[in-house]
Amino acid sequence: MAEYDQEWFNTWFDSPYYHILYQNRDTEEAQFFIKNLIKYLNISPSDKIIDVCCGKGRHSVFLNQLGYIVEGIDLSPKNIESAKAHENQNLHFEIHDMRKPYKKEFFDFAFNMFTSFGYFEKDSDHQLAISSIADSLKRDGVLVLDFLNPYRVINNLITEENKVIEGIHFQIKRLFDGENIIKEIQFEDKGKHYQFKEKVKAIRRLSFLAYFRNANLMHLQTFGDYNLNEYEPEISERMIFIVKKL
């Protein structure tokens, strides 16, 4: 783990301010998306699901509430500590780096939701993450990878934004450096100044398809939104891949 200790997400995702800034994420939208996926994929109650980069477990918990067997993994100890409060016989959480193997050929479905990908400096790490997820799937197992649509985000980038949440004034700047979509976040709380950065590689569709091929995953479908409409590069809100292990 030492080689990964300085990566930006190790501090930001483990910070309480991350959850303050994003506390208003649309839970209803997330649950709507999951219900659509369950119907489309015809997931059985006996199927085992892994939620990769699960955060505090909102997707995992909802899947479990619908009757599914779920394991969530995340790099953030504080996220997993929070998620573990929801554990039961069919819902478990573990601290784990998505680049490392986890329960080989154990799961029927893998979910990677809400742009929980593209964080690494080295392209080889993105490939390693996809390959590790593939290794955790049984033969014919399915990965759902829900990523931002880089074309739409870059073309509609809001360069500056201010938000006041719980009395904290967040100053947000966004830029595209030709390879990464970068969000710089500054604020003060209790007399102390904080500065964090989010950096997501603007991975294009063809690059994802190459990752999948290299991991022995067959591309089945790309959707463009949580209604599971067809993906259109210039206008779709999301880039949602459905791939199957060969």
Side-chain angles (χ1 to χ4, degrees), residues 7-73:
E7 292 171 315
W8 63 265
F9 44 84
N10 281 323
T11 52
W12 178 222
F13 290 165
D14 220 30
S15 162
Y17 298 106
Y18 171 82
H19 299 287
I20 292 172
L21 179 59
Y22 293 118
Q23 65 182 252
N24 293 322
R25 282 179 168 167
D26 195 331
T27 299
E28 285 188 12
E29 181 182 58
Q31 294 180 354
F32 172 77
F33 179 37
I34 286 172
K35 287 180 178 178
N36 283 341
L37 286 174
I38 289 169
K39 184 177 180 181
Y40 174 78
L41 297 169
N42 194 27
I43 301 177
S44 163
S46 62
D47 288 330
K48 295 182 177 67
I49 303 169
I50 182 169
D51 183 4
V52 180
C53 302
C54 64
K56 288 188 173 183
R58 65 173 182 152
H59 296 105
S60 298
V61 170
F62 184 63
L63 282 162
N64 179 247
Q65 288 171 347
L66 295 175
Y68 295 102
I69 304 166
V70 187
E71 291 191 38
I73 60 171

Side-chain angles (χ1 to χ4, degrees), residues 50 102-107 132-138:
I50 182 169
Y102 186 81
K103 295 195 176 182
K104 187 175 177 67
E105 298 179 359
F106 186 81
F107 298 98
S132 294
I133 296 170
D135 285 345
S136 74
L137 288 171
K138 300 174 184 176

Side-chain angles (χ1 to χ4, degrees), residues 147-180:
F147 196 68
L148 56 80
N149 178 7
Y151 306 100
R152 177 178 169 129
V153 171
I154 293 165
N155 291 336
N156 297 277
L157 201 65
I158 299 171
T159 56
E160 294 192 15
E161 185 179 9
N162 290 278
K163 290 184 176 181
V164 178
I165 306 172
E166 295 188 10
I168 301 171
H169 180 200
F170 293 94
Q171 297 174 290
I172 302 168
K173 292 185 178 180
R174 298 180 182 86
L175 61 98
F176 176 58
D177 68 359
E179 186 175 359
N180 302 286

Side-chain angles (χ1 to χ4, degrees), residues 29-30 33 37 58-59 110-119 143-149 208 212 223-226 237-242:
E29 181 182 58
F33 179 37
L37 286 174
R58 65 173 182 152
H59 296 105
F111 287 178
N112 180 249
M113 311 290 270
F114 209 76
T115 311
S116 299
F117 199 84
Y119 300 157
L143 163 63
V144 178
L145 195 152
D146 166 32
F147 196 68
L148 56 80
N149 178 7
F208 271 112
F212 299 142
F223 294 118
D225 57 37
Y226 295 150
E237 295 174 0
R238 309 293 297 170
M239 190 163 62
I240 303 164
F241 297 99
I242 313 292

